Amino acid sequence: MMNTLRYLSSGIFVISPKLLTSSLPTSVKPSSISALARGETAGRRFYSTIAAVRTDLKVKCFSNMAAPDHKKNVDVKDDRISRISSSIRVIPDFPKPGIMFQDITTLLLDPVAFKDSIDLFIERYKGKDISVVAGVEARGFIFGPPIALAIGAKFVPMRKPNKLPGAVISEEYSLEYGTDIMEMHVGAVQAGERVLVIDDLIATGGTLVAAIKLLERVGASIVECACVIELPDLKGRDRLGDKPLFVLVSST
Amino acid sequence: MFAEENGLHGDPRIKAISDAIRVVPHFPKPGIMFQDITTLLLDQKAFKYTVDIFVDRYKEKKISVVAGVEARGFIFGPPIALAIGAKFVPLRKPRKLPGEVISEAYVLEYGTDCLEMHVGAVQAGESVLIVDDLVATGGTLSAAIRLLGKELEVHCSSSSTIILDQINNIYIFEHVFLERVGADVVECACVIGLPQVKGNWTLNGVPLYVLVEPRLNDLGHFGDGGFV
């Protein structure tokens, strides 16, 4: 019987039956393992926990950050940024081939990193007389409200068409192929209000520009756009024109 | 159960939350009195009360996961998760989550829809709170509960690995994937719920905790506009 872990060329852990027995899901029949241990072969199959381990690893890779040593001269903000950055998962070829998708859901699975990301935004925007945080559907809905609550601002959702009930204003914007529409409630934002626009990521900047246009149409003043991640190669920052952009992580 | 039945009777915050919710008649279709929480989000005090009441209820309950239903569950779930130190897991419409997902279909008035969650986001045995803005028929929340709560099932995929050891035993490892999570859904929390959820009403065995009832006028019946 094998007693050691062995890596196959595909990089998947092979776990010996001995190790497996203690961690198998309940639906696996133990009798099939002992049959194999006795040397019975073809036709006898048992289920491994390879995928369970692999999945476990996938999540652990992003949350298994060692706590920073308490060196007095270490910049605490840098530690937070590096933890946030490491917690973001990149998925190749999603939603289409060639795109390296920056997946923030793994950041949300690390309560310390998620709180750090919100704290970094709160530290920057508290006391700046911002009365509106506008969050772009749907991932802007995750980051915007905690910031709004902490800085005492309203939260205004910027949504895809036909989601907001009642009177709305709409702005059409370009996608790589075709166009989309963003909507905001009439009356949510008043003229002269100071607004922070939030989304999880800025790529080409098209979405943020649409949000800016809607807000400016009602006479609001954009203080800044804030994102967790920027893809600088796509030059979204330039498309924002004179509107400042603040990001936590830049991904090339 | 409603918050008022459980320690918050007469709490002025409940009225403030209810008053801050706008009713939009005949959205998304005639007859539906849509309960619009965006006006609650414009009222900083009432929005904070909403989150505070949920946080007070759940902070000592050792909940390690808050699962929010797209999209309005994304507004209420994260502030709760952050305050109680839990992970936030988005439950999304199909094809939004990248990478490996598990899914659960559910029935709408016309047709079906599907809810997805990332594989590996929640581990078996974790305590989970599900959050959405409103519960009406409970179709969406039921799907969320089923997605999170079923026992671990293990299925074959098409590939396998064959190992031959020194004494010629053949071990065949089937590569498997988790189909269900086996987490423990502690409760579903919603801002708004129909009166039927009073008392010990449960959904798939899971209790519901709700802050306010829908408001309606005399002309129509209330609804949630579905999974939006």
Side-chain angles (χ1 to χ4, degrees):
Chain A
M1 190 174 316
M2 290 184 301
N3 291 317
T4 54
L5 288 172
R6 225 167 81 189
Y7 288 87
L8 298 178
S9 54
S10 62
I12 298 170
F13 284 172
V14 171
I15 305 168
S16 76
K18 192 167 185 251
L19 284 172
L20 266 176
T21 330
S22 55
S23 60
L24 276 166
T26 52
S27 58
V28 176
K29 296 191 181 84
S31 56
S32 54
I33 298 154
S34 53
L36 275 165
R38 286 195 304 271
E40 288 174 47
T41 57
R44 284 295 215 168
R45 292 173 167 193
F46 66 95
Y47 297 111
S48 77
T49 57
I50 287 173
V53 171
R54 192 177 65 216
T55 307
D56 223 46
L57 272 177
K58 206 190 293 178
V59 175
K60 276 184 180 151
C61 275
F62 302 106
S63 62
N64 191 22
M65 295 290 297
D69 290 331
H70 291 287
K71 301 176 198 136
K72 298 267 191 298
N73 56 347
V74 166
D75 183 0
V76 174
K77 183 179 160 182
D78 282 346
D79 285 340
R80 290 187 291 179
I81 297 277
S82 76
R83 182 171 184 145
I84 290 163
S85 181
S86 311
S87 71
I88 295 163
R89 165 170 86 149
V90 179
I91 306 273
D93 302 320
F94 182 90
K96 14 188 247 276
I99 301 206
M100 303 295 282
F101 188 88
Q102 305 283 323
D103 181 17
I104 49 93
T105 63
T106 41
L107 166 64
L108 309 176
L109 294 179
D110 178 352
V112 173
F114 184 23
K115 185 172 191 305
D116 285 346
S117 68
I118 298 297
D119 285 346
L120 284 162
F121 289 126
I122 293 169
E123 286 161 21
R124 184 175 178 85
Y125 298 116
K126 197 164 190 146
K128 298 264 176 13
D129 201 25
I130 290 170
S131 59
V132 176
V133 173
V136 179
E137 171 165 15
R139 293 185 288 262
F141 289 8
I142 295 173
F143 295 94
I147 298 169
L149 284 163
I151 69 174
K154 308 188 286 197
F155 179 73
V156 174
M158 314 294 280
R159 298 211 67 174
K160 300 264 185 223
N162 308 313
K163 301 292 183 73
L164 290 170
V168 296
I169 53 171
S170 312
E171 183 74 30
E172 196 172 7
Y173 62 103
S174 300
L175 299 171
E176 193 179 0
Y177 300 106
T179 61
D180 206 341
I181 291 174
M182 182 181 296
E183 292 185 342
M184 179 175 79
H185 264 140
V186 168
V189 180
Q190 314 304 318
E193 292 208 77
R194 288 165 52 78
V195 182
L196 169 68
V197 185
I198 284 270
D199 204 354
D200 67 321
L201 181 147
I202 175 172
T204 60
T207 315
L208 285 174
V209 166
I212 290 166
K213 284 189 175 155
L214 281 169
L215 290 156
E216 291 192 319
R217 271 163 62 182
V218 298
S221 150
I222 312 291
V223 172
E224 196 155 84
C225 295
C227 302
V228 178
I229 306 161
E230 175 186 16
L231 304 180
D233 296 344
L234 297 176
K235 305 206 187 320
R237 192 179 284 264
D238 298 339
R239 275 187 80 173
L240 299 185
D242 61 343
K243 305 293 178 289
L245 172 70
F246 173 73
V247 302
L248 302 183
V249 171
S250 196
S251 180
T252 42
Chain B
M1 80 186 85
F2 280 85
E4 284 208 314
E5 306 173 77
N6 193 315
L8 293 185
H9 181 67
D11 190 319
R13 295 180 298 176
I14 300 287
K15 183 172 190 303
I17 292 166
S18 182
D19 289 349
I21 295 166
R22 170 170 80 149
V23 181
V24 180
H26 309 302
F27 182 90
K29 25 190 237 277
I32 305 244
M33 306 303 285
F34 189 89
Q35 307 293 307
D36 181 16
I37 50 91
T38 64
T39 44
L40 171 64
L41 309 176
L42 297 178
D43 180 337
Q44 295 98 296
K45 283 211 182 85
F47 184 21
K48 187 168 192 310
Y49 294 158
T50 307
V51 173
D52 286 348
I53 291 171
F54 287 131
V55 169
D56 285 342
R57 179 173 178 79
Y58 297 115
K59 62 185 177 210
E60 303 297 333
K61 291 208 156 80
K62 295 194 172 45
I63 288 168
S64 58
V65 176
V66 174
V69 180
E70 172 166 17
R72 293 188 289 265
F74 288 9
I75 294 173
F76 296 98
I80 299 169
L82 286 162
I84 69 176
K87 308 190 282 195
F88 178 72
V89 172
L91 305 181
R92 298 208 69 172
K93 287 217 182 236
R95 293 176 297 281
K96 301 289 186 72
L97 290 171
E100 281 184 282
V101 295
I102 53 178
S103 30
E104 185 70 36
Y106 62 103
V107 177
L108 297 172
E109 192 178 358
Y110 300 106
T112 61
D113 207 336
C114 193
L115 204 52
E116 291 186 344
M117 180 173 75
H118 267 139
V119 169
V122 182
Q123 313 303 317
E126 288 204 82
S127 281
V128 180
L129 169 70
I130 301 177
V131 176
D132 204 356
D133 65 324
L134 183 148
V135 53
T137 60
T140 316
L141 281 180
S142 282
I145 292 166
R146 290 195 306 273
L147 193 59
L148 283 153
K150 270 171 96 165
E151 281 305 305
L152 206 63
E153 291 170 19
V154 178
H155 296 261
C156 300
S157 69
S158 58
S159 60
S160 57
T161 305
I162 302 173
I163 308 292
L164 190 67
D165 76 1
Q166 302 95 306
I167 54 168
N168 291 336
N169 289 324
I170 297 176
Y171 298 91
I172 303 169
F173 291 81
E174 292 289 316
H175 296 178
V176 303
F177 50 89
L178 299 173
E179 177 124 330
R180 291 288 181 262
V181 176
D184 174 29
V185 183
V186 168
E187 200 155 87
C188 294
C190 298
V191 180
I192 306 161
L194 294 186
Q196 71 198 64
V197 313
K198 274 195 172 73
N200 295 323
W201 202 74
T202 60
L203 193 58
N204 291 21
V206 176
L208 266 73
Y209 183 77
V210 167
L211 301 189
V212 300
E213 289 184 38
R215 296 201 333 271
L216 69 163
N217 66 30
D218 298 327
L219 296 176
H221 63 274
F222 33 74
D224 65 336
F227 181 155
V228 291

